[in-house]
Amino acid sequence: IEQLCHTNVDSPFPVWQNGTISPCVNQLLLGSLSHAVIAITSACYISVPRLTHIASSLPIGWGFRAASTLLMALMFIGDLVLVFELQAPGIYLNVLADGCGVLAWLVHFGAVLALQRSMYRRTRGPALFPVLLILPIPNLAFILTAYVQEINHLGVLQPLQVVRLALTVTRAALVLVYILGYIFPCYRTQRDLLSCNAEDTAPLIVTFEPDGGVTVAEDGCSWLSRLLYLWLNPLLRRGKRGELEKPCDVFQLPHRLRTKARMCEGGTQRDVKLLQVLHKAFGLRYYLLGVLKLVASMLAFAGPLLLGGLVGFMETEGAPLSKGVWCAVGLFASTFLAAVLRNVFVYEVSKVALEARVAVISTIYSKALKVSASALARFNMGEVVNFMSTDTDRVVNFFNSFHEVWSLPFQFVLALYLLYLQVGVAFLGGVAVAVLLVPLNKVLASRILENNKHMLLHKDGRVKLMTEILFGIRVLKYYNWEEHFTQKIAETRKKELHHLKLLKYLDAVCVYTWAALPVVISILTFITYVLLGNNLTAAKVFSTLALVGMLILPLNAFPWVLNGTLEAKVSLDRIQRFLTLQDQDLTVYYSQVCPEDPLSAVEMDQASFSWKQSEEDDSISGSLVAVVGKVGCGKSSLLAAITGELTRSGGEVFVGGREQGFGLAVQEPWIQHATVQDNILFGRDFDSTFYQAVIEACALADDLNILPGGDQTEVGENGVTLSGGQKSRLALARAVYMDKEIYLLDDPLAAVDADVAHHLMEKCILGILKNKTRILCTHRIEFVDKADVVVLMDNGMIVKTGTPNEVLSLVKAPKDCKNNSNAKEKDAIGREEEEANEPELVAELKMFGEEQKQMGKLSWAVYCSYWRAVGGCIAVAVLLSLFLMQASKNVSDWWLSHWISHLKDNTTELIISIYSITLIRFHAPDRGSETSGNVSSELKFYMTVYGSLAATNTIFTAARAFLFAYGAICAATVVHKRLLSSVLKATMTFFDTTPLGRILNRFSSDIYSVDDSLPFVLNILLANVFGLLGMLLVMSYGLPWVLVPLLPLGVLYYQTQCFYRHSSRELKRLCSLTLSPVYSHFSETLSGLSTVRASGHTSRFEEENERRLEQNQRCLFSSNAAMQWLDIRLQMIGVTVVTGISLIAVIQHQLKSIDPGLVGLSLSYALSITNLLSGLIFSFAQTEMQLVSIERTEEYSTNIPQEPQEVLESWPEKGRVEFVGAVLVYRPGLPNALDGVSLEVLPGERVGIVGRTGSGKSSLFLAVFRMVELNQGQILLDGVDISSVRLSNLRSRLAIIPQDPFLFSSTVRENLDPHGRHPDFRLLDALEQCHLGDVVQRIGGLDSEVGERGKSLSVGQRQLLCLARALLTEANILCIDEATASVDHKTDMLLQKTIREKFKDKTVLTIAHRLNTIMDSDRVLVMHAGKVVEFDSPAALCQREDSVFQKLLRGGEDRV
């Protein structure tokens, strides 16, 4: 200071001089400080949101204020030049003061310009501004006085001095102008504001917010509100009252964060790198934030140095009070500023990261909509969804860690330099250990990364398998394969846990080395220092301890930062690889040349395509084109080729009017998770007349009457609550409502019965669509004669094109009776299965729509269940080792302070200088030998105790690290095992009413939390709790007076964290809740990509994605802001504690009642208390948040309905089925699905089951398989009541061919025989009998993969594979839910023959949709409204005049 102020050493900072305030105080406090305040405050206003429409004129006052501000900055620059010219004694002081002035007024100028374009435009601006302007006035007054005195004294000898006086006077005048501009803004008349007819530049009422009524976060707030996050208080209050239940309760995003993502669009897409785009968009702002980080890091180091000064002051008796006061003030200022800057930095970085997140997610989404199908096929759906979730998160987390990459080494070097200043070369002893650990760390980090990669691979495998299991859960239960798949999952989980175990132990090594490091470094440093012949002083010891603490932080964090950076790099490359995929380029795909025939709608000329097969096509034109051919001949691929989903490898394709899209109804209908009406409208406006016509044409009117909410009924994921027939008709209705010119219909008649098929053909395809071009693929040959042109395909080629008569002769027409009796639809079971499912869903519908969010705090049960999962003994051992570790650390620190105090007393008693042992020998020759011996033996004693305490500490640290790792793995194993077993044993009702994603979430993200994130944060939390307790004990022991400020601060701390935690928890839950819709919408889009693209709805889907993403961003933003709200308050508590202790220490020093060793210890602890306090709350909040995962897994492990697991019984082998008064109700309050059914089926009998929609046919099967338990009555198989038989036993004795063909994405072999019980020749024989032998050979034999859910096979082929599966089951009772709807007639006949031969001695129950299949049954069972109406042989029933069966039969014949 004396050099800066040019004062003498005795009085470096005089306040009063020559009858006025000294230049030093004037320029430093009144000048530089007030200008710094102006700069910081003005900076807060530079980023106020701009108005989009500026219609009003600017008040004249603003102009004066801007001009005077700019001139003021110029005045300071001028003064700076004169200072350098004059080279006066106080030059540095003047340069500092003028520099601050230039900076302050330039920033203020920026703020004034920003406010002129904001909502402050027509006001005077913030009331704070004139206050700011008054701050430098005292400084101006003193400078003027000083100059006038100087000129009076010296005369006008120095002209430059006079110029400085003139500049100062001008500055005073400019301040006056500014204040006048503020007081008299001089508004211009506002005539121009209402000129709505002139150019109408702005709306009359400028709305600031589109979503009415919801507060916008932080925009337009004062600087104080921004600094302390006061704008967040209303939200936190609502959280405390428990009113944060829905995403819309949260603030709107600030305008800055609402920018729509504009990422690499346009033609140059292939060359653009994601990193470059992000850099260009956010680079500058992000780098500028680094300056804040730099300043905060440097300020953090002021603490240990000032601490050293303060302890030094306390050791020196009679030191001037001002020195102590300045140290205390310095401690306050440095900790306060560092806290504020750190807080602002973290908050601003989180905002940049949020913007980047939106940009990346939107880019991935829009890319997925544009990428060509063949390119997309390289990734499975899970991988693509992963790009959007995991990979994006990693890239975004990099924003938080990048500034650490440069600031950590910087902090490390600075800490080393300061250590060197404290203890000289002795610091090398301790640092050598730290440096030796760096290569170890590198090895650990690389091993951790490698294991992490393997673990995630196994995790992906497990989640993929789980996805398939949940998709095929019905099949799994029918075939009783739960055991087998549990085994499969257990195997992958075992591999995953193996890597997790390695990971945790490597982590434990890391934790151990870093926890033991500070102790080791400080011991080695002190021992080296003492051995070099120096003497320890309290000031040295505690400065060094504090610096070692600061040294550890960068060393500790660096490997994680590096890992984060590497992970981000890997994820960035993965996303980049996806973004560089080939887009669909329809201009190249389609020929631009019009065909010769102007009426042609679609024309292909020698075109060949590849998905995996190739096709040669002639031109197709005509109004209704029917495409026929046997299973797997390429009909669906032809439609895909027309929509551009395939890759064209030759020839020409022309499609007229393709720009407006196609009406596409695919074979496996894609239904959105929305209401029936939303599915049909698909984003178009509601036109009630046309809408009713479409519903009528697609035969949906009856279905809508059955559904509980009519067309407002919510349809589950993938239409789970609808039957097959309903789904396909709904998809058809959506296509028709789109009102396109070209319609591509892929077998919409397959899943429906004869009369519905006839209705669809007449009313829809030949009715409402009669003026459109329609291409219809079908197996229903009876309808083909209505077509204008028929195309016959085989093996991916067009064999023949011609009139129906020409082509039909080539297709073997089925026998007449088969045609005629093509009766009840697959939809009949369908609708009735829907009756089974749908009404039961009424109660659940609301739940089905939205996931339940747990409210309030976590129950004790959650903590207890985790305690149990870890294992009681291990949990106790962990806590004990933690306690001993903390105790040994605190005791070793106390021992150090005791050693110093003892040294000080000893040497004082010997009247020897405490600074060097060597002086002892010189100043006290008479007692030298005794003393030196004494000292060295004492030194040995102190060093031995200190060393052994430290060694004990490292042992406990190691024990705690490894015990904790072991406990975490035990918990991970137990939680997953319980969850899996519970979910696989759940009833079918549970799966029907719970969206797949919700169950999957438990197995992916929640289990990941339990495996990895929860132990990580829990470890930190426990360390923080014990650390804080130890620290408070030591502080109160050292300075009992500290308890005075600590008690009220403790209460404040508790209040603050309670206030925060309520809202924080709800906000975190809302974040999770709003994230699911983003992902589910993305996966839904991916599964329906062909429909979305063909109909030209991509932009609407992108908007929907943005809307859902914004919901999530709102919650995330509020959650981040709440964290910073808490952080700034905790930092202030920490600042208060540090200042309080330092002031108490100074006062006690004056009262001469102090032990500098203990004060030093208390203060060195207090410096880290802020981090501990905030660490404690964050780790507690994080732990609570991760424990939500335990809560969610626990809910599914204990609270879901389970299938009964009874004892095993041996079982007779005949196959007699008997229903005795069976009553089945799906839910209380619903009509009976089976209403007192009594019947007996004899062993080996073949029974056909028919009946209209909702008659209870499929309920019979559900009851036999005990998918739903009976309410009354019983079902006997061979005289044994099935409710007394173990489920797995029951289901293994029954076989079923279900309606929906489901395959797992493994080999053909595993789909046929997962347990591996049959030899290959049996499998091949079964495939031959199902006419699949050639197909399987073609794709590569039994061990070839069938693709995700059987993608490599057509739908018909999948149904045949399911039949082969049933042929292999050695069951005496076969239930066929007639599964040949997607198969052509010829194959169908052969199959019926196979079933007849193979199951001739078995009991066969067949639900019939084509009556021809049951005409040769032994008996026919006719159901109506859950009751048995008729049960006799077909011949007998046909002869009875009043027979219901005969009516059904005749109904089919009349229609055809």
Side-chain angles (χ1 to χ4, degrees):
I1 284 189
E2 67 264 13
Q3 286 177 351
L4 178 67
C5 291
H6 203 71
T7 49
N8 59 9
V9 186
D10 299 334
S11 173
F13 195 64
V15 178
W16 204 254
Q17 216 175 349
N18 304 334
T20 176
I21 272 189
S22 71
C24 201
V25 171
N26 187 22
Q27 294 287 49
L28 268 185
L29 296 184
L30 301 182
S32 305
L33 193 61
S34 54
H35 281 131
V37 172
I38 291 175
I40 290 170
T41 313
S42 304
C44 296
Y45 286 98
I46 286 184
S47 60
V48 289
R50 310 288 159 90
L51 290 177
T52 38
H53 306 288
I54 294 181
S56 59
S57 54
L58 192 67
I60 301 163
W62 276 113
F64 277 116
R65 286 158 73 181
S68 58
T69 314
L70 186 59
L71 287 172
M72 197 97 74
L74 293 175
M75 292 299 134
F76 274 107
I77 293 171
D79 196 49
L80 207 51
V81 175
L82 292 175
V83 167
F84 281 116
E85 284 296 316
L86 278 168
Q87 289 292 325
I91 177 169
Y92 298 123
L93 192 61
N94 284 323
V95 167
L96 175 67
D98 284 347
C100 288
V102 173
L103 182 69
W105 294 113
L106 284 177
V107 173
H108 192 71
F109 177 64
V112 169
L113 290 185
L115 290 171
Q116 288 178 10
R117 300 186 60 78
S118 74
M119 59 185 205
Y120 287 108
R121 182 181 175 79
R122 296 289 298 174
T123 66
R124 290 189 169 91
L128 196 69
F129 276 20
V131 178
L132 288 181
L133 222 73
I134 294 167
L135 287 181
I137 289 180
N139 168 254
L140 261 174
F142 287 124
I143 291 178
L144 278 172
T145 318
Y147 284 164
V148 172
Q149 278 181 358
E150 202 175 333
I151 291 171
N152 285 343
H153 187 58
L154 296 172
V156 194
L157 294 174
Q158 282 187 307
L160 291 182
Q161 203 62 24
V162 179
V163 176
R164 286 189 75 188
L165 174 64
L167 289 178
T168 314
V169 172
T170 317
R171 266 163 55 200
L174 289 171
V175 170
L176 190 65
V177 170
Y178 188 102
I179 289 175
L180 287 171
Y182 181 84
I183 297 171
F184 306 111
C186 304
Y187 298 108
R188 294 175 184 170
T189 49
Q190 245 179 317
R191 271 199 318 272
D192 50 350
L193 197 63
L194 295 175
S195 59
C196 31
N197 299 333
E199 53 273 271
D200 209 343
T201 48
L204 287 179
I205 301 164
V206 179
T207 47
F208 204 58
E209 183 44 59
D211 313 62
V214 185
T215 328
V216 182
E218 88 170 349
D219 284 352
C221 294
S222 69
W223 65 275
L224 190 69
S225 171
R226 278 169 181 244
L227 192 65
L228 296 176
Y229 302 94
L230 301 177
W231 53 269
L232 202 62
N233 286 353
L235 183 74
L236 294 175
R237 271 193 217 101
R238 273 161 55 192
K240 181 112 168 52
R241 292 198 299 267
E243 290 169 14
L244 285 182
E245 291 172 25
K246 301 187 295 299
C248 55
D249 296 335
V250 179
F251 287 159
Q252 285 290 342
L253 285 174
H255 282 265
R256 172 98 208 215
L257 296 182
R258 251 185 269 177
T259 45
K260 294 278 178 272
R262 295 184 196 81
M263 291 293 281
C264 38
E265 304 287 335
T268 54
Q269 191 144 12
R270 288 190 67 76
D271 321 317
V272 173
K273 290 273 186 287
L274 179 63
L275 188 62
Q276 291 169 358
V277 178
L278 287 171
H279 188 273
K280 194 166 177 204
F282 309 111
L284 182 66
R285 208 165 115 221
Y286 185 62
Y287 296 138
L288 285 175
L289 288 172
V291 180
L292 285 179
K293 177 83 179 158
L294 182 69
V295 179
S297 304
M298 290 170 78
L299 279 170
F301 283 100
L305 300 179
L306 289 161
L307 168 69
L310 189 62
V311 176
F313 155 76
M314 303 184 66
E315 281 189 318
T316 325
E317 285 189 21
L321 179 64
S322 59
K323 183 184 174 194
V325 173
W326 277 120
C327 281
V329 169
L331 268 172
F332 164 73
S334 62
T335 44
F336 177 76
L337 269 176
V340 169
L341 290 176
R342 235 193 340 259
N343 184 276
V344 171
F345 167 76
V346 172
Y347 179 60
E348 290 299 327
V349 164
S350 75
K351 291 209 295 204
V352 176
L354 278 179
E355 284 182 65
R357 179 171 177 264
V358 168
V360 175
I361 290 183
S362 306
T363 308
I364 292 171
Y365 188 85
S366 62
K367 178 71 185 182
L369 287 174
K370 286 205 277 285
V371 69
S372 68
S374 51
L376 194 59
R378 280 186 240 160
F379 300 98
N380 64 33
M381 197 161 107
E383 277 181 298
V384 182
V385 175
N386 248 343
F387 291 143
M388 195 188 236
S389 52
T390 320
D391 289 317
T392 304
D393 284 349
R394 284 175 162 186
V395 171
V396 170
N397 286 341
F398 173 66
F399 277 86
N400 300 329
S401 58
F402 170 74
H403 281 306
E404 303 293 342
V405 174
W406 62 262
S407 75
L408 289 176
F410 166 75
Q411 287 174 25
F412 185 66
V413 172
L414 198 54
L416 283 185
Y417 176 65
L418 293 173
L419 259 181
Y420 170 69
L421 291 182
Q422 287 294 328
V423 293
V425 289
F427 85 95
L428 290 172
V431 170
V433 180
V435 173
L436 284 175
L437 279 176
V438 171
L440 168 73
N441 230 46
K442 179 78 198 77
V443 173
L444 285 175
S446 60
R447 289 293 305 279
I448 284 176
L449 259 184
E450 193 183 331
N451 274 299
N452 204 3
K453 207 154 86 184
H454 288 306
M455 185 186 85
L456 287 176
L457 272 175
H458 292 305
K459 172 180 183 270
D460 288 348
R462 177 175 61 79
V463 172
K464 187 177 167 209
L465 189 59
M466 201 64 221
T467 315
E468 296 202 326
I469 287 175
L470 293 176
F471 260 106
I473 190 76
R474 227 170 246 275
V475 173
L476 210 78
K477 285 188 178 296
Y478 275 141
Y479 286 102
N480 184 38
W481 285 347
E482 291 105 311
E483 274 301 297
H484 170 71
F485 279 97
T486 306
Q487 207 73 42
K488 273 186 82 166
I489 285 213
E491 280 164 29
T492 26
R493 177 69 177 163
K494 198 173 164 192
K495 291 176 193 160
E496 186 186 354
L497 281 175
H498 169 70
H499 289 290
L500 181 71
K501 202 173 288 180
L502 286 173
L503 255 181
K504 287 287 161 222
Y505 288 141
L506 287 167
D507 274 357
V509 175
C510 274
V511 169
Y512 167 60
T513 47
W514 296 116
L517 202 57
V519 183
V520 176
I521 289 185
S522 41
I523 285 183
L524 286 172
T525 306
F526 294 143
I527 290 179
T528 319
Y529 186 65
V530 171
L531 292 178
L532 284 172
N534 302 307
N535 202 345
L536 286 176
T537 67
K540 283 240 181 302
V541 168
F542 293 112
S543 291
T544 307
L545 273 181
L547 282 168
V548 167
M550 300 199 121
L551 189 67
I552 299 307
L553 185 79
L555 276 176
N556 205 344
F558 204 64
W560 301 113
V561 169
L562 224 54
N563 270 5
T565 311
L566 292 173
E567 281 179 351
K569 171 88 180 76
V570 171
S571 291
L572 195 68
D573 291 345
R574 280 167 49 112
I575 295 176
Q576 185 65 46
R577 211 173 70 229
F578 178 67
L579 293 181
T580 44
L581 288 181
Q582 184 70 48
D583 280 1
Q584 252 188 345
D585 190 353
L586 298 181
T587 48
V588 176
Y589 184 87
Y590 293 114
S591 153
Q592 303 298 316
V593 186
C594 290
E596 291 145 25
D597 178 359
L599 294 174
S600 275
V602 178
E603 184 166 303
M604 298 189 178
D605 183 18
Q606 293 303 312
S608 58
F609 303 91
S610 68
W611 137 286
K612 292 232 172 106
Q613 69 240 53
S614 80
E615 322 172 339
E616 312 282 330
D617 301 332
D618 302 333
S619 78
I620 302 176
S621 65
S623 184
L624 172 56
V625 179
V627 182
V628 294
K630 67 175 197 296
V631 172
C633 67
K635 301 185 293 297
S636 302
S637 301
L638 175 68
L639 298 188
I642 295 174
T643 57
E645 291 290 323
L646 295 189
T647 311
R648 181 172 60 84
S649 43
E652 298 285 320
V653 187
F654 168 81
V655 176
R658 66 174 173 77
E659 291 77 12
Q660 63 142 313
F662 307 90
L664 175 68
V666 287
Q667 192 172 9
E668 293 187 72
W670 171 69
I671 307 293
Q672 280 188 287
H673 186 142
T675 63
V676 174
Q677 187 181 48
D678 290 341
N679 265 296
I680 297 177
L681 297 180
F682 203 58
R684 290 192 52 156
D685 294 334
F686 180 70
D687 167 354
S688 67
T689 331
F690 186 48
Y691 179 74
Q692 285 309 326
V694 170
I695 284 185
E696 188 46 48
C698 296
L700 279 170
D702 295 349
D703 300 276
L704 292 184
N705 294 336
I706 297 173
L707 291 178
D711 64 0
Q712 294 307 314
T713 306
E714 179 109 357
V715 177
E717 260 179 314
N718 254 326
V720 58
T721 51
L722 302 176
S723 69
Q726 286 169 328
K727 279 196 266 194
S728 78
R729 295 203 307 276
L730 184 57
L732 180 65
R734 174 178 62 208
V736 174
Y737 193 82
M738 285 180 198
D739 199 19
K740 306 284 187 195
E741 283 311 307
I742 299 177
Y743 276 86
L744 308 174
L745 310 172
D746 196 352
D747 218 353
L749 307 174
V752 297
D753 64 17
D755 48 353
V756 175
H758 190 265
H759 178 104
L760 289 179
M761 196 70 199
E762 291 298 324
K763 295 277 172 39
C764 179
I765 300 173
L766 299 172
I768 200 166
L769 297 179
K770 62 174 180 289
N771 299 324
K772 315 281 187 187
T773 304
R774 292 142 294 167
I775 299 179
L776 169 73
C777 299
T778 185
H779 288 300
R780 294 271 178 115
I781 292 178
E782 62 268 34
F783 294 122
V784 171
D785 53 1
K786 309 264 179 45
D788 304 328
V789 180
V790 179
V791 175
L792 175 63
M793 293 191 70
D794 191 21
N795 254 346
M797 299 189 187
I798 291 185
V799 186
K800 175 98 176 111
T801 310
T803 62
N805 295 337
E806 290 169 10
V807 179
L808 283 178
S809 56
L810 301 174
V811 182
K812 185 167 184 291
K815 298 191 178 65
D816 48 352
C817 87
K818 283 196 178 271
N819 260 4
N820 299 353
S821 60
N822 207 341
K824 267 303 165 246
E825 58 160 307
K826 173 177 180 182
D827 197 33
I829 154 180
R831 260 196 253 184
E832 167 189 338
E833 187 176 288
E834 162 272 314
E835 185 129 309
N837 289 344
E838 191 54 57
E840 63 178 84
L841 282 170
V842 187
E844 297 275 334
L845 272 177
K846 287 294 165 271
M847 181 210 92
F848 200 78
E850 286 184 19
E851 178 159 5
Q852 294 300 303
K853 180 171 80 73
Q854 299 288 339
M855 288 297 287
K857 62 162 88 139
L858 290 165
S859 63
W860 266 110
V862 176
Y863 294 98
C864 296
S865 71
Y866 192 64
W867 177 277
R868 282 197 304 276
V870 173
C873 299
I874 294 198
V876 172
V878 168
L879 293 179
L880 193 64
S881 58
L882 252 165
F883 170 72
L884 291 169
M885 171 187 126
Q886 188 59 41
S888 59
K889 180 179 182 305
N890 290 139
V891 171
S892 69
D893 285 348
W894 169 81
W895 182 256
L896 197 61
S897 76
H898 172 68
W899 176 6
I900 291 160
S901 307
H902 183 79
L903 249 175
K904 180 166 179 274
D905 299 341
N906 227 357
T907 41
T908 316
E909 186 182 294
L910 293 165
I911 325 162
I912 294 171
S913 159
I914 61 170
Y915 289 108
S916 167
I917 295 176
T918 47
L919 290 180
I920 298 171
R921 303 194 173 114
F922 292 19
H923 285 276
D926 52 331
R927 294 169 63 183
S929 57
E930 179 201 328
T931 312
S932 69
N934 191 5
V935 166
S936 62
S937 67
E938 243 185 354
L939 192 63
K940 259 193 199 142
F941 166 65
Y942 278 116
M943 272 156 75
T944 315
V945 173
Y946 187 49
S948 49
L949 277 170
T952 323
N953 176 263
T954 57
I955 290 165
F956 289 136
T957 308
R960 163 237 168 172
F962 285 96
L963 279 170
F964 197 90
Y966 180 71
I969 288 160
C970 292
T973 316
V974 171
V975 169
H976 180 265
K977 207 172 185 171
R978 287 181 57 205
L979 178 67
L980 180 67
S981 128
S982 166
V983 167
L984 287 186
K985 285 178 188 157
T987 57
M988 271 318 296
T989 316
F990 168 71
F991 292 104
D992 288 341
T993 54
T994 312
L996 236 173
R998 203 175 293 172
I999 306 174
L1000 255 186
N1001 234 339
R1002 304 290 196 282
F1003 281 96
S1004 55
S1005 55
D1006 288 328
I1007 286 290
Y1008 183 70
S1009 279
V1010 176
D1011 287 356
D1012 205 29
S1013 329
L1014 176 62
F1016 185 70
V1017 294
L1018 187 60
N1019 204 350
I1020 297 173
L1021 171 72
L1022 291 173
N1024 277 337
V1025 169
F1026 281 93
L1028 190 66
L1029 290 175
M1031 177 180 288
L1032 292 174
L1033 279 171
V1034 172
M1035 272 162 52
S1036 336
Y1037 172 70
L1039 278 177
W1041 280 104
V1042 167
L1043 292 172
V1044 175
L1046 271 186
L1047 290 173
L1049 283 176
V1051 173
L1052 184 66
Y1053 175 72
Y1054 179 74
Q1055 290 293 331
T1056 308
Q1057 64 90 34
C1058 276
F1059 192 50
Y1060 162 79
R1061 267 181 40 236
H1062 281 284
S1063 307
S1064 159
R1065 203 168 38 222
E1066 299 312 324
L1067 285 170
K1068 284 281 188 300
R1069 281 182 179 151
L1070 283 175
C1071 285
S1072 312
L1073 210 66
T1074 51
L1075 192 57
S1076 302
V1078 175
Y1079 296 156
S1080 61
H1081 179 245
F1082 187 41
S1083 39
E1084 193 172 69
T1085 308
L1086 285 173
S1087 50
L1089 203 52
S1090 52
T1091 310
V1092 174
R1093 290 208 280 225
S1095 57
H1097 276 269
T1098 49
S1099 54
R1100 181 171 73 82
F1101 272 71
E1102 281 189 60
E1103 278 165 24
E1104 174 63 17
N1105 176 54
E1106 270 174 9
R1107 192 185 64 72
R1108 292 179 180 216
L1109 193 53
E1110 178 139 322
Q1111 282 272 54
N1112 180 238
Q1113 292 276 98
R1114 274 167 68 175
C1115 300
L1116 263 179
F1117 172 74
S1118 296
S1119 180
N1120 288 346
M1123 275 176 126
Q1124 294 319 109
W1125 176 94
L1126 175 72
D1127 180 68
I1128 193 79
R1129 280 156 181 73
L1130 296 189
Q1131 296 280 8
M1132 291 307 123
I1133 290 179
V1135 170
T1136 317
V1137 171
V1138 173
T1139 316
I1141 290 186
S1142 46
L1143 287 174
I1144 289 172
V1146 172
I1147 294 164
Q1148 286 206 331
H1149 175 261
Q1150 291 307 101
L1151 303 173
K1152 307 272 188 301
S1153 58
I1154 193 97
D1155 175 350
L1158 284 174
V1159 171
L1161 190 58
S1162 302
L1163 262 175
S1164 69
Y1165 275 9
L1167 277 180
S1168 55
I1169 196 169
T1170 341
N1171 292 340
L1172 254 182
L1173 286 178
S1174 55
L1176 183 66
I1177 287 194
F1178 287 139
S1179 53
F1180 187 65
Q1182 284 286 335
T1183 307
E1184 266 201 329
M1185 186 182 119
Q1186 300 296 348
L1187 275 168
V1188 169
S1189 294
I1190 290 276
E1191 180 181 50
R1192 286 158 57 93
T1193 52
E1194 190 63 15
E1195 177 195 351
Y1196 275 19
S1197 305
T1198 51
N1199 294 352
I1200 54 178
Q1202 302 277 297
E1203 296 183 317
Q1205 314 287 326
E1206 293 89 356
V1207 291
L1208 179 59
E1209 280 195 21
S1210 63
W1211 198 344
E1213 296 291 322
K1214 291 178 194 157
R1216 174 195 301 267
V1217 182
E1218 204 174 339
F1219 280 76
V1220 183
V1223 176
L1224 180 75
V1225 185
Y1226 286 107
R1227 292 280 169 79
L1230 293 179
N1232 294 351
L1234 293 180
D1235 197 358
V1237 171
S1238 298
L1239 59 99
E1240 184 180 359
V1241 178
L1242 303 173
E1245 193 172 24
R1246 305 187 56 217
V1247 175
I1249 304 170
V1250 295
R1252 294 206 180 274
T1253 299
S1255 58
K1257 300 189 298 295
S1258 63
S1259 301
L1260 291 173
F1261 281 7
L1262 290 171
V1264 169
F1265 277 87
R1266 280 182 51 203
M1267 290 292 193
V1268 186
E1269 298 289 340
L1270 289 180
N1271 295 57
Q1272 261 174 277
Q1274 50 184 177
I1275 299 174
L1276 309 175
L1277 296 190
D1278 279 8
V1280 176
D1281 184 351
I1282 61 170
S1283 63
S1284 65
V1285 180
R1286 192 167 166 214
L1287 265 182
S1288 56
N1289 206 27
L1290 166 70
R1291 289 178 187 164
S1292 62
R1293 305 298 163 89
L1294 303 171
I1296 185 161
I1297 306 175
Q1299 186 177 2
D1300 297 322
F1302 183 83
L1303 302 181
F1304 294 98
S1305 68
S1306 50
T1307 59
V1308 175
R1309 179 194 310 279
E1310 196 160 332
N1311 268 296
L1312 285 176
D1313 179 27
H1315 298 289
R1317 289 180 182 150
H1318 300 285
D1320 282 10
F1321 72 86
R1322 284 287 314 275
L1323 301 182
L1324 290 167
D1325 184 40
L1327 289 170
E1328 279 300 330
Q1329 287 167 351
C1330 297
H1331 313 281
L1332 275 176
D1334 300 346
V1335 178
V1336 171
Q1337 290 310 324
R1338 197 165 69 235
I1339 63 171
L1342 286 174
D1343 291 315
S1344 55
E1345 295 281 334
V1346 296
E1348 203 173 347
R1349 283 183 237 141
K1351 270 192 183 141
S1352 351
L1353 303 172
S1354 73
V1355 181
Q1357 289 164 341
R1358 283 179 232 168
Q1359 284 189 327
L1360 298 180
L1361 197 63
C1362 290
L1363 176 63
R1365 203 186 262 168
L1367 290 181
L1368 289 166
T1369 320
E1370 304 290 322
N1372 284 333
I1373 299 172
L1374 172 69
C1375 302
I1376 303 177
D1377 187 350
E1378 198 204 54
T1380 49
S1382 296
V1383 180
D1384 55 288
H1385 280 261
K1386 189 174 168 191
T1387 319
D1388 189 18
M1389 286 159 60
L1390 292 166
L1391 287 178
Q1392 295 300 337
K1393 190 167 161 234
T1394 307
I1395 292 172
R1396 271 196 291 279
E1397 288 169 6
K1398 277 281 153 194
F1399 292 99
K1400 62 169 181 285
D1401 302 327
K1402 311 285 172 77
T1403 308
V1404 180
L1405 306 175
T1406 309
I1407 290 182
H1409 310 135
R1410 298 173 173 172
L1411 290 190
N1412 62 291
T1413 54
I1414 56 158
M1415 289 308 284
D1416 57 351
S1417 308
D1418 299 328
R1419 287 198 283 173
V1420 174
L1421 167 67
V1422 183
M1423 298 283 296
H1424 179 70
K1427 293 186 167 66
V1428 177
V1429 184
E1430 297 171 347
F1431 189 29
D1432 207 340
S1433 69
L1437 290 176
C1438 284
Q1439 281 158 10
R1440 279 171 46 191
E1441 276 307 308
D1442 57 343
S1443 156
V1444 178
F1445 177 65
Q1446 195 178 20
K1447 282 182 194 147
L1448 284 174
L1449 203 56
R1450 205 172 292 144
E1453 287 168 4
D1454 293 347
R1455 294 276 196 188
V1456 176

